Amino acid sequence: MELFRLEHKKLWRKTSVRISVLLCFAYVVIFGGVLSYQWFEFGSSHDVTSAFGNNFDGYAMIRSYQARADSYGAYLTDGALQRMVRDIQQDNDRGIYWQNADSRSTVSGYLSQLYPELEDADNAYPTLMEYYVDSARLTDFYGRRQAALEQFLHLQGQGTGEERAMLLAMNGKVDEPFRYGWVRGWQFVLGNSLADLGVIMALFLAVVLAPTFSGEWHSNTAPLLLTTDGGWRRLARVKVLSGLAFAIELFALLAAGGVAAQLVYLGTAGWDMPIQTMKLLAVAPMNMLQAEIYEYAFALLGAIGFTGVVMLLSALVKSNVLALLLSLAAAYGPMMIAQYLPYGLQSALGLLPLVGSGTDIFRTNTFHIFGKYIWSPYLLITVPVLIGLICIPFAVMKWSRRQRA
């Protein structure tokens, strides 16, 4: 335990580590959290020509958006949807755009997916159905959603057999009518902030941990370690534990900051909404809180798995630069080449640590293994950490052999 404490303290004393943690925290929590809530994403617009053309009033705007969504009742019904569309049209007729801007993006998705026959093909802006559609014709919301889901599965090649039955069985557990509240805040959390968390962590974990073993060669400490019986083996294990601890600590720091910012700006409103209010054709019977827990777990377990991979790569080479490049390639290489590969290989690459996406809970992707269909999020949260844990003993063994040699 004392050796672990000293090794971990030595890791955190490095200037590069402190700078990396500071930059990561600033990017994820300050820019991706606080400033996004208060300014970039939810501040009222005053200059549509600028990427930063929003006022610094996100907190007040979020409260107004939540109040407007609450005015339609606790459940998403035909009547609630009709009222939303009428309000958007009335606001538009009066030239009031900011009041409906946030709900409009959600409603627009519902209309285009469930009521395509109501779209005016001759309209100059055919995608903006909410501005002209007859709200009285917006009926049978859940019947249309079921039909749209079955049609989607058919187009995806999942319309028959065991796979279809499994996905529709999952969808059958989704409660109807949907609990309803302000959706876009959760879209930002689940579709933006958490979706990119693992990708960002991979960069800083690689920078910090790539020199774990290769750095010993760079520092020429092998002769010193060999003077102690079994010292190289103990130190290898301690270095691995220190690296794993750092990955968990970095995740905890980012998660704590992200959740704190979320609670300040969004509160807990809408946690019990099903994810189908965000993506209509999702089949998972999950609410927003469950989805957030899953995506955080995906990032944490992926970070642990990636740490194991980085440790092995660091043990295989003697150059800090090469170890860093290989670690970065392990995370970002598959993302770069995936689009050029067959779909089956793309899916397989997604099982590598921090390569896949926690947002697969909104999709119907499956793996066919040993004659059984498995929903992809089950494997995306388990396989990456298993890969990392398998890499760890090989990293210890490889570095130990090099030290003895």
Side-chain angles (χ1 to χ4, degrees), residues 111-347:
L111 298 184
S112 62
Q113 286 186 285
L114 302 187
Y115 304 93
E117 77 279 4
L118 301 182
E119 183 175 341
D120 184 359
D122 298 327
N123 192 286
Y125 302 98
T127 59
L128 304 180
M129 293 175 60
E130 61 273 21
Y131 286 138
Y132 59 81
V133 71
D134 181 1
S135 61
R137 300 179 66 182
L138 303 178
T139 59
D140 192 24
F141 181 90
Y142 293 99
R144 284 175 171 268
R145 176 186 173 272
Q146 182 68 25
L149 174 59
E150 294 183 8
Q151 176 66 14
F152 173 76
L153 294 179
H154 176 74
L155 294 175
Q156 291 288 105
Q158 300 172 309
T160 59
E162 181 184 345
E163 186 178 17
R164 175 181 183 274
M166 180 195 73
L167 294 171
L168 290 181
M170 292 177 61
N171 179 69
K173 298 178 182 178
V174 178
D175 293 332
E176 297 179 357
F178 300 156
R179 291 283 300 181
Y180 185 75
W182 184 52
V183 177
R184 189 175 161 230
W186 286 99
Q187 287 177 327
F188 173 74
V189 172
L190 300 177
N192 294 82
S193 297
L194 291 183
D196 297 332
L197 181 59
V199 176
I200 297 167
M201 287 183 65
L203 171 62
F204 294 98
L205 286 174
V207 170
V208 171
L209 300 178
T212 298
F213 291 116
S214 60
E216 297 295 340
W217 290 99
H218 181 75
S219 303
N220 197 27
T221 59
L224 178 62
L225 292 174
L226 288 173
T227 61
T228 303
D229 183 29
W232 43 268
R233 187 180 293 110
R234 283 188 61 204
L235 183 59
R237 293 168 182 163
V238 166
K239 283 181 173 293
V240 167
L241 291 176
S242 178
L244 291 173
F246 174 81
I248 295 172
E249 289 161 354
L250 178 62
F251 167 82
L253 182 66
L254 300 178
V259 170
Q262 179 183 343
L263 289 175
V264 169
Y265 284 94
L266 303 183
T268 59
W271 69 268
D272 55 349
M273 286 190 298
I275 62 174
Q276 284 72 23
T277 56
M278 176 175 162
K279 186 168 183 180
L280 274 176
L281 302 187
V283 297
M286 303 174 71
N287 60 38
M288 298 297 187
L289 179 60
Q290 291 169 331
E292 182 172 11
I293 292 172
Y294 176 90
E295 291 197 19
Y296 270 122
F298 172 86
L300 173 59
L301 295 176
I304 293 173
F306 184 68
T307 297
V309 173
V310 173
M311 293 290 181
L312 178 57
L313 294 173
S314 181
L316 290 174
V317 299
K318 297 182 179 182
S319 168
N320 286 345
V321 174
L322 182 57
L324 174 59
L325 292 176
L326 290 174
S327 298
L328 294 175
Y332 302 110
M335 301 178 192
M336 295 171 60
I337 66 174
Q339 60 181 319
Y340 304 106
L341 300 176
Y343 177 75
L345 288 179
Q346 292 182 35
S347 300

